[in-house]
Amino acid sequence: MARSPIENKTRTILFVVVVFGLCSFFYLLGVWQRSGFGRGDSIAAVVNEQTKCVRLPNLNFETHHSASDLPNYTASYEVKSFEPCHAEYTDYTPCEEQKRAMTFPRDNMIYRERHCPPEKEKLYCLIPAPKGYVAPFPWPKSRDYVFYANVPHKSLTVEKAIQNWVHYEGNVFRFPGGGTQFPQGADKYIDHLASVIPINEGKVRTALDTGCGVASLGAYLLKKNVLTVSFAPKDNHESQVQFALERGVPAYIGVLGSIKLPFPSRVFDMAHCSRCLIPWSGSDGMYMMEVDRVLRPGGYWILSGPPIGWKIHYKGWQRTKDDLRNEQRKIERFAELLCWKKISEKDGIAIWRKRLNDKSCPRKQDNSKVGKCELTSDNDVWYKKMEVCITPLPEVKSVSEVAGGQLQPFPQRLNAVPPRIALGSVPGFSVQSYQEDNKLWQKHVNGYKKTNDLLDTGRYRNIMDMNAGLGSFAAVLESTKLWVMNVVPTIADASTLGVIYERGLIGMYHDWCEGFSTYPRTYDLIHANDVFSLYQNKCKFEDILLEMDRILRPEGAVIIRDKVDALVKVEKIANAMRWKTRLANHESGPHVSEKILFAVKQYWATESKSH
């Protein structure tokens, strides 16, 4: 049958469209292959084909994609299932283990510092939760209540009973907010500090609490939008730091001993010691010099308890007037040497302010036996010995200029260009790359929420970022519902921790080949960006993942972003640790070789009591 002209024209147009479409398809395919995506990445090809991002709001995932689906050559990487450790290890802290600690000298608290196990003594088992472990109370209730089953230690309720630290009531501990120097509560104590220090104005955002007890000061400073890094040793006051983290307050196991604190210079707006038992008048002022190093120019140091207020309290402290007077005189001399100005001493609390720059006071240091510290980098602190020297400040042009740059009050400083970036102090980063990093992490976090929409709801209070970069992940999440411990690995290409603090965030240095200075089950969510590629040839993936499992709470979440070949190995190990996993595409699509592994640690606990 003869076709009409209209039908012929329609068929011709259709034919042209089909041919054009096929030509375009094969042209784009050729471009894609030549770009590098189309060859040499068979693993990515399989993952790209089989991975689909779906919304799973409760993060109760079944395995979406497993390593067994990948090409045969990946099957050679076999992992046996990890067994639970003995119940005695429920509170195991590998680098602060008591038996090993007692083999080290007691001078300068060396035995309370980090001493990690050698390879042959590492545990390759899963740290169990204590019998009866339950999910902590949500914030802010967790500030005041902790389940006894989670931290089954009552010693502090006896030792610190009259100081109002903690009370045991039924199946919970109650924290009334007291402390050794503020038995009537932290709120009144903080109000006293705020009458001298501009705490309420956003000018004080980051604080350091040395010898923190159960971190009640840090807990109540959060009401003022101040983030406090609290630390205390693992000593006779059992589980101080464990209580702090269980309450949802930032803390780590640490001591001011012989090693530098794991922070860069000039980062804290305020440092505090409330009867923290640190011998400030000893060691030629070395401990005050270390506080001076980490304090920002214009920052504040608060000392309450002996020897401050000795005229009134010397009998209660069971020390002589002369002893206490001499101790305070030494502290005053060291403060003068550091060019700190005392701005208040009242009701047993003394407050000093650090100099703004090295021009703002006479250089008494030049006339003393104490020299300036000579550092190749003021960030070079990991396992480095403290020294009796004064850390110099960046140069300024006038006596009124803040050394290193003026910070905006919080929250403006969160996304403002940090001075270290603006001044070009961090190699490899510029104002433009900083702003691009912020945008990139906004995109990444939005992508995460498509899989886990509980991310910033308060479900996860204590969050760890294992390779924090510029802190942009934490900046996107910033909320009173949560806090992020931003870790900058000691082997990272650039030391960005100073930038993180300038944004009003907190963090510390760490080497992930070793155990982190915290108790088991202290973080609700762990984020690891490029961690395994970074440590590819430094230590075993098992060591890093078992440490992540140790510090993660049961039913806690993990987000790992890395190259697909690294994630293949990671997923196998994760499944051997009883994690539920799911591998997902990059936010930009399936053709990007970087992938994301989502995981949830399953709930399980020891069969018997460990105490």
Side-chain angles (χ1 to χ4, degrees), residues 168-205:
Y168 176 61
E169 300 175 354
N171 66 340
V172 300
F173 291 109
R174 183 173 64 85
F175 297 84
T180 305
Q181 289 301 121
F182 39 94
Q184 301 307 310
D187 277 332
K188 288 185 178 179
Y189 184 82
I190 291 169
D191 287 342
H192 176 101
L193 300 183
S195 68
V196 180
I197 301 170
I199 292 175
N200 298 320
E201 301 169 21
K203 293 180 181 178
V204 173
R205 166 63 176 174

Side-chain angles (χ1 to χ4, degrees), residues 418-440:
R420 279 172 166 91
I421 296 292
L423 297 172
S425 303
V426 185
F429 290 95
S430 63
V431 172
Q432 182 179 350
S433 64
Y434 166 76
Q435 293 170 338
E436 289 172 352
D437 190 72
N438 282 332
K439 292 177 182 176
L440 178 65

Side-chain angles (χ1 to χ4, degrees), residues 220-238:
Y220 282 81
L221 277 171
L222 286 166
K223 293 168 68 174
K224 305 288 188 180
N225 215 9
V226 175
L227 269 180
T228 306
V229 179
S230 302
F231 72 82
K234 186 177 180 181
D235 60 10
N236 296 332
H237 292 164
E238 203 167 29

Side-chain angles (χ1 to χ4, degrees), residues 595-607:
K595 304 294 175 188
I596 303 140
L597 184 70
F598 293 93
V600 174
K601 178 179 176 178
Q602 299 303 289
Y603 177 91
W604 62 278
T606 183
E607 297 295 325

Side-chain angles (χ1 to χ4, degrees), residues 397-413:
K397 295 179 180 178
S398 70
V399 294
S400 60
E401 185 181 347
V402 179
Q406 178 74 51
L407 289 177
Q408 294 187 33
F410 195 84
Q412 290 92 328
R413 73 192 254 192

Side-chain angles (χ1 to χ4, degrees), residues 349-424:
I349 303 171
I351 302 174
W352 285 265
R353 192 177 187 201
K354 180 177 172 175
R355 63 200 182 280
L356 287 179
N357 54 60
D358 285 341
K359 285 187 175 182
S360 61
C361 74
R363 293 301 301 170
K364 293 184 173 63
Q365 297 96 320
D366 293 338
N367 302 318
S368 74
K369 295 179 181 179
V370 179
K372 296 179 182 179
C373 302
E374 294 183 6
L375 297 175
T376 54
S377 167
D378 66 356
N379 304 314
D380 185 21
V381 298
W382 188 245
Y383 284 127
K384 293 298 183 353
K385 290 284 186 182
M386 263 190 273
E387 302 173 89
V388 179
C389 60
I390 299 171
T391 303
L393 296 174
E395 294 184 3
V396 295
K397 295 179 180 178
S398 70
V399 294
S400 60
E401 185 181 347
V402 179
Q406 178 74 51
L407 289 177
Q408 294 187 33
F410 195 84
Q412 290 92 328
R413 73 192 254 192
L414 180 66
N415 290 307
V417 177
R420 279 172 166 91
I421 296 292
L423 297 172

Side-chain angles (χ1 to χ4, degrees), residues 112 150 237 251 260 264 282 424 431 452 454 484 507 518 534 587 603:
R112 293 297 184 197
N150 292 7
H237 292 164
K260 294 185 180 195
V431 172
N452 181 1
L454 302 176
V484 180
T518 191
L534 181 65
E587 297 86 7
Y603 177 91

